[in-house]
Amino acid sequence: MALRGRRNEFNCPYDYVQMDGLVVMKIIKHCYEERSNIDTPRGGLLGLVIENRLELTNTFPFPFTKAGEEAVDEEYTSAMMMHMKKINQDYLHVGWYQACELGSFVTTEFVLAQQGYQDSIEESIVVIYDPQKTDKGFLTIKAYRLTPQALKLLAENENTITPELVKSLHLSYERLFHEVPVVIRNSPLANALCCTMSEMKPAKATQFLDLGTASVMERHMHSLLEKVDELHQEAYKMNKWQMQVSKQQQEKAKYIHQRNMENATRQAKGETALPEEDLAKIFRPIPPPSRLPPMLASGQIEMSCQQVNSFCSQALAKLFISESLQESKTDA
Amino acid sequence: MVLNLTLKVHPVVLFQIINAYERRNLDRTSILGTLLGTIDKNCVEVSNCFVVPHSISPQDGTVSIEMHIADTMYKLNKQVHPAEVIVGWWATGFEVTSIAVPINDYYARQCPKPVHILVDTTCRTGKLSIKGFVQVDIGVPDRSQGAMFSPIPVELLTYPPEAVAVKTLLKTRLTPSGKTEPRAELPQITEACGDMEEALNFVLNYVEDVMADRIAADNSIGRNLLKLVQTVPKMNTSELDNMLNANIKDLLMSMYLAQLTRVQVQLNEKLLMSSTNLNPNQ
């Protein structure tokens, strides 16, 4: 199914994602209507890989499942795809979308879900939609894929994600995801619709030029604080483990020393030496804490910081604009 | 009565109709489907739709729709949006045709008063028109009776994020390839600045024309201009300086802290990766 032609360094069979206007509108509508729900709204993406792009032509929302059930309702998905086939829509499931507040989506379940998708469907992609930022006036839709190194890492068992493994894969938290550029496209008929809609548009437009920045900054800082706390805890766990291991080493060395001394005294007395004991059984090696949570936390912090930066830059720009307006007013 | 009914349509519905029309089977000239939404007193809000394949038999012109496809889709949709119910049906074309009456009867069994949206995808009037109708009975009682589709006003209703998306989508009209990208925040502000400057230039030219008596003055426009100038709040320079400085300081502080956090996290990672005595057991 996937084009084996071009592959770039991220093992991605396409260069950019082309979304239809319909896909954007459906995602926004679904996420807006379910915004009061605790579970994040999710849905599937349908489309096709053509030449060097992934075209997304339709979406469908996933129903919320009760706790304890599978994350995605298989029956619903297959029924929906069969239906799409009957009405001449693309029915290839090429990915999924999720809404997330302020770009905080780097969680374990998210990466595992994307890994599942990329394992079964090679060209799958995840689209992240930020309802808060869009509410403030900036349409934020991004598309991501896991890098091949991240896939290799996640394929391992939870317990074996050791620092050595991470080092050998040359993986750092910055290289977990690979962002694919998004382009929105409308067919000529849809453009005609847009012309009609621009005349029908309701008078109230969204104010994204307002200067109120405190509430958004607060939320950003909150989420940043949470993540930094998490990272701190993980670092603490790592330190504790290192101390435990070094203590264990010391005890082991002492034990060996004692046994050697005893063996020496016994040999001096002419008795047989004590049997060799398996040191590994007495001093069970303590497993290191998994590197995955701190890496995810670091990745999330990195994204939040970038968002804070871009938000501050546009807030500063707005402040300078208002300053110039005021100057002209006081001069006049 | 039906005259008070207003129809509010979300942009999603229109996009879906266009999409379904583009993907229709080649032997069809027009397609139809179901409208889903909510009914609230005199206002019908249409928030979703799906296409229903139909066929017209050539002999006697009777129309049949694939009811099981419609049922399946309605049930699937109910799982995700339990509040949406069938409120009417839509079709593409220039005018209401004779098949509309039996279709309307079918939908009248699903909901009390189905509304009908007609989207002119052939653009016969030069633009894509969207009209709304409701079927009313006409005629003389006890004599010849018939049905007519009387037009009702159609409005566009958007959720706030939908309005933002529509603004971005409108840009695709202006590019030759029909594509646009969701822009980062700062370029959007610069774009908006440019737009404002253009609008201000236009207004200035108009005012100069009026002052030079080239165009007749219009009082309502004058009042609007006065309102516009007065919306800039009056602040003396010291107050303004205080406010600006305080805000700028906050923002710069946040940027600094964010950068510091990033650098620290990177340092943490590097230190961890390069420390040699990670796992003495191995």
Side-chain angles (χ1 to χ4, degrees):
Chain A
M1 195 160 51
L3 281 179
R4 300 254 161 218
R6 309 164 43 142
R7 295 269 164 155
N8 51 21
E9 52 175 297
F10 296 111
N11 204 29
C12 186
Y14 41 83
D15 290 333
Y16 65 97
V17 175
Q18 180 181 287
M19 295 175 86
D20 272 4
L22 172 68
V23 169
V24 175
M25 298 304 295
K26 275 182 98 165
I27 293 180
I28 294 181
K29 172 191 178 275
H30 174 225
C31 296
Y32 185 80
E33 287 182 351
E34 302 290 338
R35 68 193 182 286
S36 47
N37 215 313
I38 306 177
D39 289 328
T40 50
R42 289 198 185 95
L45 298 167
L46 303 166
L48 202 55
V49 176
I50 293 181
E51 294 166 355
N52 65 334
R53 60 183 190 273
L54 172 68
E55 285 195 16
L56 297 174
T57 52
N58 213 333
T59 76
F60 59 90
F62 288 151
F64 288 119
T65 52
K66 307 175 196 54
E69 283 181 12
E70 284 270 317
V72 172
D73 197 349
E74 288 293 332
E75 207 183 296
Y76 178 87
T77 316
S78 44
M80 182 59 93
M81 302 225 283
M82 276 204 319
H83 180 91
M84 288 291 170
K85 204 163 159 181
K86 285 193 205 141
I87 56 177
N88 292 340
Q89 301 281 343
D90 284 335
Y91 55 89
L92 297 175
H93 196 166
V94 292
W96 58 300
Y97 69 83
Q98 180 178 316
C100 68
E101 322 275 304
L102 293 179
S104 58
F105 58 89
V106 188
T107 59
T108 329
E109 48 179 48
F110 173 83
V111 264
L112 287 177
Q114 177 61 7
Q115 180 211 7
Y117 264 92
Q118 273 186 244
D119 275 342
S120 49
I121 305 167
E122 209 187 322
E123 58 260 356
S124 70
I125 196 156
V126 58
V127 168
I128 296 288
Y129 160 69
D130 192 343
Q132 242 96 356
K133 286 253 274 311
T134 311
D135 222 16
K136 293 285 166 194
F138 304 105
L139 179 62
T140 310
I141 289 201
K142 301 217 163 104
Y144 291 101
R145 269 174 67 87
L146 285 174
T147 51
Q149 298 106 322
L151 278 176
K152 260 190 259 178
L153 181 78
L154 291 166
E156 301 281 333
N157 197 357
E158 267 286 312
N159 298 332
T160 59
I161 302 184
T162 59
E164 279 76 31
L165 183 66
V166 174
K167 204 161 155 191
S168 63
L169 289 174
H170 297 289
L171 184 65
S172 83
Y173 63 87
E174 286 157 340
R175 286 202 254 142
L176 279 176
F177 293 104
H178 153 58
E179 183 178 343
V180 186
V182 171
V183 167
I184 302 180
R185 172 205 163 262
N186 272 331
S187 66
L189 200 55
N191 278 337
L193 173 68
C194 288
C195 294
T196 311
M197 279 205 310
S198 64
E199 294 167 21
M200 284 170 79
K201 242 165 84 74
K204 216 165 44 121
T206 331
Q207 296 295 346
F208 68 91
L209 285 174
D210 71 334
L211 295 173
T213 56
S215 60
V216 181
M217 285 306 294
E218 234 178 292
R219 264 183 268 145
H220 270 295
M221 289 297 147
H222 250 299
S223 72
L224 204 56
L225 274 173
E226 268 177 32
K227 286 294 158 184
V228 169
D229 264 340
E230 219 181 277
L231 189 62
H232 180 75
Q233 279 186 351
E234 294 289 332
Y236 177 69
K237 262 195 250 173
M238 191 74 185
N239 276 341
K240 214 168 74 167
W241 172 76
Q242 278 189 322
M243 282 197 327
Q244 279 180 338
V245 163
S246 68
K247 222 168 64 173
Q248 199 187 43
Q249 290 293 98
Q250 282 180 349
E251 282 179 19
K252 214 164 157 181
K254 223 167 62 176
Y255 183 77
I256 292 175
H257 183 71
Q258 270 183 346
R259 285 188 70 86
N260 285 342
M261 293 257 295
E262 246 192 75
N263 274 344
T265 51
R266 283 200 178 195
Q267 272 183 351
K269 286 192 201 160
E271 295 172 2
T272 51
L274 285 171
E276 277 295 317
E277 284 179 17
D278 190 6
L279 287 168
K281 281 216 202 95
I282 311 176
F283 294 100
R284 217 169 281 268
I286 313 174
S290 163
R291 286 302 302 163
L292 193 61
M295 237 187 353
L296 292 179
S298 313
Q300 184 56 60
I301 291 179
E302 166 85 18
M303 295 225 180
S304 301
C305 290
Q306 274 175 1
Q307 292 210 340
V308 166
N309 273 342
S310 70
F311 176 77
C312 286
S313 60
Q314 55 100 346
L316 280 171
K318 285 195 283 206
L319 280 175
F320 285 125
I321 295 175
S322 63
E323 181 183 6
S324 64
L325 264 180
Q326 280 295 326
E327 271 173 16
S328 52
K329 176 127 183 142
T330 48
D331 283 344
Chain B
M1 218 198 86
V2 71
L3 296 171
N4 284 337
L5 205 60
T6 48
L7 193 55
K8 298 209 168 122
V9 175
H10 281 264
V12 190
V13 175
L14 302 170
F15 274 102
Q16 283 188 314
I17 294 178
I18 300 275
N19 188 33
Y21 180 75
E22 285 174 352
R23 286 174 180 269
R24 69 191 187 288
N25 285 326
L26 282 175
D27 53 344
R28 299 249 161 282
T29 48
S30 74
I31 51 170
L32 56 89
T34 313
L35 291 172
L36 303 164
T38 49
I39 304 183
D40 180 32
K41 274 194 257 181
N42 291 334
C43 165
V44 176
E45 185 181 326
V46 179
S47 51
N48 210 343
C49 73
F50 55 86
V51 67
V52 176
H54 76 288
S55 55
I56 304 178
S57 74
Q59 292 99 352
D60 48 1
T62 52
V63 59
S64 55
I65 58 175
E66 307 244 6
M67 281 197 281
H68 68 275
I69 293 190
D71 279 339
T72 323
M73 191 62 202
Y74 183 54
K75 279 205 204 75
L76 287 173
N77 200 36
K78 263 286 196 209
Q79 282 188 297
V80 193
H81 298 291
E84 284 181 355
V85 291
I86 298 184
V87 295
W89 60 290
W90 58 269
T92 61
F94 181 58
E95 55 194 4
V96 182
T97 56
S98 55
I99 65 167
V101 178
I103 303 274
N104 208 54
D105 282 339
Y106 167 72
Y107 279 101
R109 281 177 257 146
Q110 322 268 337
C111 75
K113 207 145 191 58
V115 296
H116 172 45
I117 291 186
L118 186 69
V119 177
D120 184 15
T121 43
T122 53
C123 299
R124 225 184 274 197
T125 54
K127 64 173 198 162
L128 199 110
S129 65
I130 302 165
K131 302 197 191 101
F133 299 99
V134 172
Q135 182 179 346
V136 289
D137 295 324
I138 55 168
V140 183
D142 297 335
R143 301 267 183 98
S144 56
Q145 300 214 337
M148 166 186 100
F149 281 91
S150 92
I152 52 176
V154 177
E155 283 173 21
L156 198 69
L157 177 68
T158 51
Y159 297 133
E162 279 183 351
V164 174
V166 166
K167 205 160 49 145
T168 316
L169 290 178
L170 287 181
K171 286 200 216 122
T172 58
R173 306 175 288 164
L174 308 169
T175 54
S177 59
K179 297 185 187 173
T180 181
E181 294 181 351
R183 312 280 294 280
E185 296 166 35
L186 197 56
Q188 277 190 342
I189 300 258
T190 35
E191 231 178 78
C193 240
D195 286 344
M196 240 190 343
E197 206 181 319
E198 255 182 55
L200 281 174
N201 276 337
F202 188 77
V203 169
L204 272 175
N205 281 338
Y206 171 78
V207 168
E208 280 178 21
D209 282 344
V210 170
M211 297 297 283
D213 280 336
R214 283 193 283 267
I215 304 182
D218 189 350
N219 281 340
S220 54
I221 298 186
R223 273 194 285 270
N224 278 334
L225 283 174
L226 190 64
K227 250 197 301 186
L228 182 72
V229 173
Q230 282 181 341
T231 46
V232 182
K234 230 182 169 67
M235 294 173 94
N236 57 12
T237 34
S238 63
E239 265 179 31
L240 178 70
D241 278 341
N242 281 343
M243 179 204 83
L244 278 179
N245 282 336
N247 276 333
I248 290 180
K249 267 190 250 180
D250 282 341
L251 292 170
L252 286 176
M253 169 68 95
S254 322
M255 274 177 90
Y256 165 73
L257 286 175
Q259 288 288 72
L260 196 63
T261 319
R262 273 176 85 180
V263 170
Q264 285 213 330
V265 168
Q266 282 184 350
L267 207 60
N268 176 36
E269 187 88 9
K270 290 273 187 301
L271 282 174
L272 204 58
M273 287 300 121
S274 62
S275 70
T276 49
N277 199 13
L278 281 173
N279 193 350
N281 285 342
Q282 294 185 358

